[in-house]
Amino acid sequence: MKLSQLAFKVAKDAPANADTINHKLLVQAGYVRQLMAGVYTYTPLGLKVLRNIENIVRKEMDAIGGQEILMPALHPKANWLTTGGWDNIDVLFKLKSRTDRDYALGQSHEEIVTPLAKELINSYKDLPLALYQIQWKYRDELRSKSGILRGREFFMKDMYSFHENQADFEKFYEKVKAAYLKIFKEMGLTAKVTEASGGSFTEKISYEFMVLTDAGEDDIFYCDSCDYCVNQEIAKVKEGDACPICGAPLKAARAAEVGNVFDLGQKFAKDFELTFANKNGEKQYPIMGCYGIGISRTMGVIVEKYHDDRGIIWPKAVSPFAAHVVALNGAEEYAIKIYETLKENGVSALLDDRAQSAGNKFAAADLLGIPVRLVISPRNEKLIEWKKRDQEEIELIDLNTVLTKLKTS
Ligand code: ATP
Ligand code: MG
């Protein structure tokens, strides 16, 4: 992609209304545009990041046997009445048609996936079943702030699983937890598996995946010596108390929830009369689990964790491009050649071919945060200046070395 042709420009100044780093940097660099509080457009660059995150999540959901579907965002009122959600879920957006019918916008999809599964599940032989989607969600959040961390419209991966018994559910639950840790690690995030209440449906404990950041809205207690972590909202412990697992003193921190896993029990199966015939031919309700990942929130959390005072520093796995080629005055032709060669070798590259000063181009490269910057200058003959976004050193190397380093670093 050529920066000169990109309609969304890097801005000189940060937006005036930004209350968080992700909001400031994502808007200024041109990854997102705000329509109103909690509602954003993703630009070509922002969409690439979102898709990279989405694809990492998709790969791992497929690997544990999830079947991807895409459910509607527009729901009939009846499904939400069936579960009690119509009257009890405060964030549910409700709308009326011109013929006076009521609808809801999907804030989650238990109400849609359970009747759908009813068409698929008849016998224990149809179980287990795991369906997932990656889709926009709508929530009438009271305060939509913190950039893309809390949207009224946001991108989520939600998976729902159906099991013959609790033991089978537990087995899958552990698989999902492991997949989540793998997903967040691949994106450069350390997620803490955090005990929390099971939400409105159940007395059971759920697990939230928390990333430490001051931009988050959750408070947790965690242990540095082992993996113990608990949401402060439900915690029976306090800061400095002995960790219930290993005895080390607990620490307090702010965190953002990037995902969670819930044991839904039989609540939704009972609401929708979803049953299956077990091995003895008796009718039984399946056990359900649900598993969310905030795709757009994760993008914001990555920016909160990976930036400096000059801009974003994308981890390689989610970066919109592998390399950012800066063409300095007088080296434009050679820069295009480098850019084309990178592409031919399967390296995604952004070319800054704008008629701008070197200073402006370097500032844009820092702001955009692509992990490797390649400067093509008339001073260097055919050699290329290689610089990683998170390091200060510059190396002067030839094109073959650039290609090798891009593939291996
Ligand atoms: P929160 O406590 O942050 O409101 P939640 O408990 O309502 O989250 P879920 O309903 O389980 O979250 O949604 C699954 C995931 O979707 C969350 O773990 C989070 O990463 C993301 N998420 C939830 N609400 C929002 C929102 N308003 N904007 C962006 N992402 C969100
Ligand atoms: Mg919420």
Side-chain angles (χ1 to χ4, degrees):
M1 188 178 283
K2 294 179 177 171
L3 263 188
S4 64
Q5 283 163 33
L6 194 67
F8 300 90
K9 310 291 182 209
V10 172
K12 240 183 139 156
D13 300 307
N17 63 343
D19 61 353
T20 37
I21 288 161
N22 81 87
H23 187 178
K24 171 179 174 266
L25 292 178
L26 287 171
V27 172
Q28 192 181 351
Y31 286 101
V32 303
R33 305 286 281 229
Q34 191 183 36
L35 175 64
M36 57 181 171
V39 182
Y40 290 83
T41 295
Y42 288 75
T43 70
L45 293 184
L47 201 49
K48 277 183 186 289
V49 178
L50 204 64
R51 294 288 179 237
N52 288 343
I53 296 173
E54 176 186 332
N55 284 332
I56 291 170
V57 173
R58 175 176 287 118
K59 185 178 69 183
E60 298 306 330
M61 293 302 100
D62 288 345
I64 57 172
Q67 300 187 35
E68 186 173 5
I69 57 176
L70 183 57
M71 289 180 273
L74 186 64
H75 304 170
K77 178 182 184 180
N79 293 45
W80 288 90
L81 280 177
T82 303
T83 60
W86 184 263
D87 295 310
N88 295 323
I89 296 182
D90 48 6
V91 296
L92 188 67
F93 269 115
K94 300 166 181 173
L95 31 136
K96 244 190 208 321
S97 77
R98 54 184 153 163
T99 55
D100 217 30
R101 286 203 181 86
D102 290 307
Y103 299 87
L105 291 180
Q107 62 91 32
S108 186
H109 278 70
E110 286 82 355
E111 277 75 1
I112 309 308
V113 80
T114 314
L116 181 67
K118 206 173 155 170
E119 299 172 20
L120 312 176
I121 297 169
N122 292 305
S123 117
Y124 69 93
K125 289 180 192 149
D126 301 319
L127 298 173
L129 173 67
L131 301 173
Y132 80 94
Q133 64 173 351
I134 298 174
Q135 195 218 27
W136 295 97
K137 293 281 184 282
Y138 299 86
R139 291 189 187 176
D140 191 358
E141 303 275 6
L142 275 187
R143 290 177 316 143
S144 259
K145 54 184 199 80
S146 312
I148 57 172
L149 298 190
R150 182 165 300 283
R152 293 200 166 97
E153 175 180 87
F154 60 96
F155 212 37
M156 194 206 282
K157 184 282 299 176
D158 44 326
M159 179 158 74
Y160 307 87
S161 70
F162 303 83
H163 306 270
E164 207 178 332
N165 52 43
Q166 192 67 21
D168 191 65
F169 162 74
E170 298 287 347
K171 220 167 60 188
F172 190 69
Y173 203 48
E174 292 308 318
K175 264 198 205 171
V176 180
K177 281 203 245 171
Y180 272 29
L181 290 175
K182 196 169 166 199
I183 286 166
F184 293 121
K185 188 167 171 210
E186 188 166 345
M187 297 173 190
L189 296 177
T190 306
K192 292 188 174 297
V193 184
T194 307
E195 286 178 17
S197 83
S200 38
F201 325 117
T202 151
E203 296 300 301
K204 290 176 174 142
I205 284 180
S206 68
Y207 294 93
E208 299 171 334
F209 289 72
M210 293 285 189
V211 175
L212 300 192
T213 165
D214 286 339
E217 291 181 45
D218 287 272
D219 293 296
I220 59 170
F221 294 125
Y222 71 99
C223 177
D224 252 349
S225 307
C226 71
D227 289 335
Y228 181 75
C229 189
V230 63
N231 196 312
Q232 288 189 21
E233 254 176 29
I234 53 137
K236 294 192 181 74
V237 289
K238 57 183 190 312
E239 191 174 8
D241 277 3
C243 166
I245 309 283
C246 74
L250 291 178
K251 295 185 168 173
R254 221 90 255 245
E257 181 193 319
V258 286
N260 59 28
V261 295
F262 283 101
D263 177 348
L264 296 177
Q266 296 177 323
K267 146 94 185 140
F268 292 94
K270 285 183 175 164
D271 284 346
F272 288 98
E273 263 312 306
L274 161 61
T275 59
F276 68 96
N278 69 17
K279 287 186 179 113
N280 304 322
E282 297 151 352
K283 245 172 71 167
Q284 203 180 309
Y285 295 110
I287 307 286
M288 272 177 75
C290 80
Y291 319 85
I293 289 185
I295 305 268
S296 49
R297 179 181 290 179
T298 297
M299 177 170 164
V301 168
I302 291 171
V303 176
E304 294 291 336
K305 299 297 280 187
Y306 291 97
H307 68 271
D308 59 16
D309 53 4
R310 290 172 290 161
I312 301 169
I313 308 174
W314 292 115
K316 189 176 170 182
V318 302
S319 176
F321 298 96
H324 183 131
V325 181
V326 176
L328 295 190
N329 272 343
E332 289 86 351
E333 256 175 63
Y334 187 48
I336 290 177
K337 208 184 131 211
I338 301 283
Y339 167 73
E340 297 294 347
T341 311
L342 289 176
K343 286 207 299 183
E344 282 157 23
N345 282 273
V347 176
S348 63
L350 180 68
L351 173 65
D352 191 349
D353 57 343
R354 299 170 303 158
Q356 294 263 347
S357 70
N360 279 353
K361 290 186 178 182
F362 293 155
D366 282 344
L367 184 58
L368 285 163
I370 291 153
V372 172
R373 186 186 80 184
L374 302 172
V375 175
I376 318 300
S377 157
R379 281 201 323 236
N380 295 333
E381 300 285 331
K382 295 288 166 205
L383 293 181
I384 297 163
E385 285 182 23
W386 162 288
K387 182 184 168 300
K388 292 192 89 170
R389 175 63 182 84
D390 60 353
Q391 293 169 8
E392 293 310 316
E393 307 85 73
I394 294 175
E395 290 177 64
L396 213 50
I397 53 181
D398 64 21
L399 180 55
N400 274 334
T401 315
V402 165
L403 287 171
T404 316
K405 275 170 82 91
L406 278 168
K407 289 201 171 123
T408 55
S409 67

